[in-house]
Amino acid sequence: MLPAFALLLLFQCLGEGLVFLLGLPVPGPVAGMILLFVTLVLRPALQTRIETAANALLGHLSLLFVPAGVGIVAAAGSGSGHWLAIVASLVASTVLTLAVTGLVLRGMKPEGEGDA
Amino acid sequence: MPDFAQLSPHLNQFWVYLSASPLLGLTMTLCAYVLAQEVYRRCKYSPLANPVAIAIALVSIALLVSGMSYQRYFAGAQFVHFLLGPATVALAVPLARQVPRIRRAFLPLACALLAGCVTAIVSAVGVVLVLGGSGVLARTVGPKSATSPIAMAISERLGGVPALTAVLVIGTGIFGAAIARSLFNAMKIESHAARGFALGLAAHGIGTARAFQVSAEMGAFAGLGMGLNGVMTAVLAPWLVPLVMRLLG
């Protein structure tokens, strides 16, 4: 568990460093995720070693959004007066995005039907 | 200072002592989440009882009632917040398990990414402008489907209001996670891979968290959708947002 967690932090550091050095427009942890992904594809043996720690974190991913979410509620008073336009945009755009992306992928085989 | 703390000087002192320590913010966060999970379970996992939204509401109410400042709360909650970094890195693990499927479906995934990313940006900016919102507001909503650090950076670069973008990102995540199942059912989008990818692309980390509650496969594809859309939004938004503004302005 602990070596696995150290490895996750190490890849986050690598990601942060890469973003800083190259001035990339993505957050450090996302760069770290891509680096770890490439590493796991090249060395599949690593997968089983960090699986437990990764699943433990991802199993409670919802919890990790709570502190930031509360901050946003605290800051929401600074709304710019156009709440109707904002809410309409958010609702319409989210529904459309889910629908368009899902429709493009609708032909993808369901779980278990795989290997064709 | 809450009224109940005035009841006795000891209680008051205890409250002052406790609220000055990071322990309280951390405890509040975990208790609110455990409670929210329980509510979610009792609502038979209805997407309307989104645990993130419930936990945020519970903590916010507690802060309002007790008069505790967000800064003081965050002194404890930051330990939970910090784990978002390693958790994002950890998304690579379920993703690597799906490599053979991603290879097979490379073309549909690439098309879905492009279509979804353009839809997210153009529709958000378009609706705001049609309803009379300002240019600043349009630049603020443009990146709302990207994960919050990316969205805030884009908003800042475009000349939007990053703090408001953050509000919209969380709102998008909660709303997307809440409606996805009914929408996919209605549209007969059945595979966990397609559902997950769409959910992560449209509703970033909160959508991904929701997807992991359904299956590891849906979660992996949601993580993929979130990561790719973050990068794609960073690439497309800087020229797509001004383009829509020119067309509608």
Side-chain angles (χ1 to χ4, degrees), chain A:
Chain A
M1 187 83 174
L2 210 53
F5 196 70
L7 197 70
L8 291 177
L9 288 177
L10 185 68
F11 271 91
Q12 190 182 347
C13 287
L14 288 174
E16 304 276 7
L18 197 69
V19 165
F20 178 76
L21 287 176
L22 302 180
L24 300 174
V26 297
V30 172
M33 172 184 88
I34 295 166
L35 288 176
L36 178 59
F37 174 74
V38 172
T39 310
L40 287 174
V41 170
L42 296 177
R43 296 200 53 146
L46 210 59
Q47 180 91 22
T48 45
R49 290 213 189 158
I50 59 169
E51 194 129 57
T52 315
N55 289 343
L57 264 178
L58 293 175
H60 294 290
L61 193 57
S62 306
L63 164 69
L64 311 186
F65 291 101
V66 174
V70 175
I72 277 154
V73 172
S78 63
S80 50
H82 275 96
W83 283 111
L84 176 71
I86 292 174
V87 171
S89 157
L90 194 153
V91 167
S93 175
T94 307
V95 170
L96 273 172
T97 306
L98 282 168
V100 167
T101 314
L103 281 180
V104 173
L105 292 174
R106 190 156 69 178
M108 269 176 88
K109 290 193 165 49
E111 200 175 11
E113 275 183 37
D115 299 297

Side-chain angles (χ1 to χ4, degrees), chain B residues 86-177:
Chain B
T88 304
V89 176
L91 286 169
V93 176
L95 200 55
R97 283 243 179 262
Q98 301 294 337
V99 164
R101 297 201 56 194
I102 294 168
R103 261 198 203 128
R104 277 200 304 271
F106 183 78
L107 194 63
L109 287 174
C111 293
L113 169 65
L114 190 64
C117 183
V118 171
T119 305
I121 297 170
V122 171
S123 61
V125 173
V127 171
V128 158
L129 291 176
V130 166
L131 292 181
S134 66
V136 174
L137 202 54
R139 287 187 268 261
T140 301
V141 294
K144 63 115 187 62
S145 275
T147 181
S148 55
I150 298 184
M152 288 175 79
I154 297 171
S155 171
E156 182 153 33
R157 214 165 78 191
L158 290 176
V161 185
L164 185 56
T165 299
V167 179
L168 300 178
V169 169
I170 296 267
T172 298
I174 292 174
F175 177 68

